[in-house]
């Protein structure tokens, strides 16, 4: 099959060896679970009025971002693997870069907003309705999407302005900005420096806000006299911190390492973790063990007694 000279080649992560066929099937299974779990979360929060509050609005946005993120990379990877094609058009590549970078950035900021929401709810419960009303929450959510999209637009504009010579093979299963830069015959040193600064700001600034918020939350929880209230607060915060740890750990490993320490195999493994596995784990860790979500799910199914999901 002829491949246009302008197309890029995605090397992918799987061959047709028996072990890789099994791993590919596993990825499709993870994709299906992530697709269903995040779609159910978004629909439940939209349909059940008991979940119409800022905390669940933020959870629905997290599920929506995860849903879009996994749909940005896995379908194309699966199509290439099953069809035997490895090419991706320039337009398709730039579309992947835009959505991937935009959703990555938006999720960074959204996780910081979620930490702030828990900080206000636990440290200032009486003032919570005023400090996290619908208007403020809406502005924070919209800002997360806008800031992430701005980063995506900048990266797309930059990669479109570069010239590409020689090999057009991208050692990834999706179009990644850093991989494209290595193929460019244009001087990209200035952009690499700016991109690194942006990554530091987009990762470390929200992470600093999360750390400060949860430091205050932990102190407030320890001082609680009610054991039930302390347990509920710790359950919610532990779920969030687990998601933050998975997301930021993988992202910092990918984007804040020196270029000399980069390995295509390591990049593929870690990218697979936070673009495929994390979108599946987030709704399971964060939401489906939540009693309000379980009640909403039972209500939608028309069952009288809510039961605990997934264990």
């Amino acid at each position: 099959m002829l491949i246009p000279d302008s197309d890029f080649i995605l090397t992918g992560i799987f061959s047709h060896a028996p072990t890789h066929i099994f791993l590919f099937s596993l990825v499709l299974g993870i994709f299906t679970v992530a697709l269903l779990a995040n779609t159910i979360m978004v629909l439940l929060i939209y349909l059940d009025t008991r979940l119409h509050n800022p905390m669940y609005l933020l959870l629905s946005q997290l599920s929506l971002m995860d849903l879009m993120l996994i749909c940005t990379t896995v379908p194309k990877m699966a199509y290439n693997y099953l069809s035997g094609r490895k090419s991706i058009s320039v337009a398709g590549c730039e579309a992947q870069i835009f959505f991937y970078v935009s959703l990555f950035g938006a999720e960074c900021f959204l996780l910081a907003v979620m930490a702030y929401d828990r900080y206000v709810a636990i440290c200032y419960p009486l003032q919570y309705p005023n400090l996290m009303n619908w208007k403020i929450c809406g502005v924070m959510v919209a800002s997360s999407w806008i800031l992430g999209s701005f980063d995506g637009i900048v990266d797309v504009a930059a990669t479109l302005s570069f010239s590409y010579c020689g090999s057009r093979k991208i050692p990834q299963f999706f179009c990644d900005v850093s991989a494209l830069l290595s193929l460019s015959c244009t001087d990209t040193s200035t952009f690499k420096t700016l991109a690194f600064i942006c990554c530091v700001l987009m990762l470390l600034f929200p992470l600093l806000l999360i750390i400060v918020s949860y430091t205050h939350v932990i102190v407030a929880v320890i001082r609680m006299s009610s054991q039930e209230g302390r347990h509920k607060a710790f359950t919610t915060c532990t779920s969030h911190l687990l998601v933050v740890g998975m997301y930021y750990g993988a992202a910092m490993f990918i984007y804040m390492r020196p270029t000399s320490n980069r390995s295509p195999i390591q990049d593929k493994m870690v990218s697979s973790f936070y673009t495929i596995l994390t979108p599946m784990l987030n709704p399971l860790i964060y939401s489906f063990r939540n009693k309000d979500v379980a009640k909403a799910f039972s209500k939608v199914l028309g069952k009288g007694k809510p039961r605990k999901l997934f264990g």
Side-chain angles (χ1 to χ4, degrees), residues 12-309:
I13 50 177
F14 300 122
S15 67
H16 288 279
T19 303
H20 281 217
I21 292 173
F22 169 76
L23 291 174
F24 174 73
S25 302
L26 185 63
V27 166
L28 287 186
I30 291 171
F31 172 74
T32 303
V33 173
L35 196 69
L36 290 173
N38 285 294
T39 301
I40 289 171
M41 272 306 306
V42 173
L43 290 176
L44 281 180
I45 292 170
Y46 174 77
L47 293 172
D48 197 301
T49 54
R50 289 174 297 182
L51 303 181
H52 290 181
N53 61 56
M55 184 181 81
Y56 289 109
L57 170 64
L58 297 175
L59 279 176
S60 72
Q61 295 302 297
L62 181 67
S63 289
L64 181 59
M65 289 176 185
D66 282 338
L67 186 62
M68 294 175 66
L69 180 62
I70 200 169
C71 288
T72 297
T73 57
V74 175
K76 178 60 178 173
M77 179 197 71
Y79 172 77
N80 282 6
Y81 182 79
L82 294 172
S83 67
R85 290 173 57 93
K86 292 189 175 183
S87 63
I88 184 170
S89 66
V90 174
C93 190
E94 297 298 338
Q96 274 198 336
I97 288 174
F98 172 74
F99 285 109
Y100 169 76
V101 173
S102 297
L103 292 165
F104 169 79
E107 201 155 327
C108 280
F109 292 115
L110 185 70
L111 288 172
V113 173
M114 294 171 77
Y116 173 75
D117 172 73
R118 291 300 85 204
Y119 161 69
V120 175
I122 292 171
C123 298
Y124 301 97
L126 298 179
Q127 299 176 39
Y128 182 79
N130 295 323
L131 295 175
M132 276 299 288
N133 57 44
W134 284 109
K135 183 177 180 180
I136 294 173
C137 187
V139 169
M140 289 181 172
V141 169
S143 298
S144 298
W145 283 98
I146 292 169
L147 289 170
S149 298
F150 176 75
D151 192 33
I153 291 170
V154 169
D155 282 0
V156 168
T159 51
L160 280 174
S161 69
F162 297 144
S163 299
Y164 300 95
C165 332
S167 174
R168 300 178 75 86
K169 287 186 177 180
I170 299 174
Q172 264 289 12
F173 60 95
F174 64 96
C175 277
D176 182 52
V177 176
S178 60
L180 277 184
L181 294 180
S182 65
L183 301 180
S184 175
C185 50
T186 308
D187 181 15
T188 60
S189 57
T190 302
F191 177 75
K192 285 180 179 178
T193 302
L194 291 174
F196 181 77
I197 293 171
C198 285
C199 283
V200 170
L201 291 175
M202 291 183 67
L203 285 170
L204 296 188
F205 179 72
L207 184 59
L208 179 62
L209 182 58
I210 290 170
I211 291 171
V212 171
S213 296
Y214 273 103
T215 299
H216 286 87
V217 165
I218 291 169
V219 172
V221 170
I222 292 173
R223 291 175 177 173
M224 284 182 178
S225 56
S226 168
Q227 187 173 354
E228 183 181 351
R230 190 184 301 119
H231 175 73
K232 184 177 180 181
F234 264 127
T235 300
T236 304
C237 296
T238 301
S239 299
H240 188 200
L241 288 174
L242 185 57
V243 170
V244 168
M246 291 192 307
Y247 186 80
Y248 277 91
M252 292 175 76
F253 180 83
I254 286 285
Y255 294 107
M256 295 187 68
R257 281 182 304 153
T259 308
S260 58
N261 293 340
R262 286 184 176 276
S263 161
I265 295 176
Q266 287 180 340
D267 285 354
K268 285 181 184 181
M269 294 290 291
V270 180
S271 295
S272 300
F273 178 79
Y274 77 85
T275 60
I276 299 174
L277 190 60
T278 301
M280 179 198 74
L281 293 176
N282 281 353
L284 303 183
I285 292 171
Y286 218 141
S287 306
F288 283 118
R289 286 189 177 274
N290 181 291
K291 290 182 180 180
D292 293 331
V293 173
K295 289 177 182 177
F297 191 77
S298 297
K299 180 182 177 183
V300 170
L301 292 179
K303 295 180 179 179
K305 291 186 178 181
R307 56 189 179 88
K308 201 174 186 180
L309 304 178

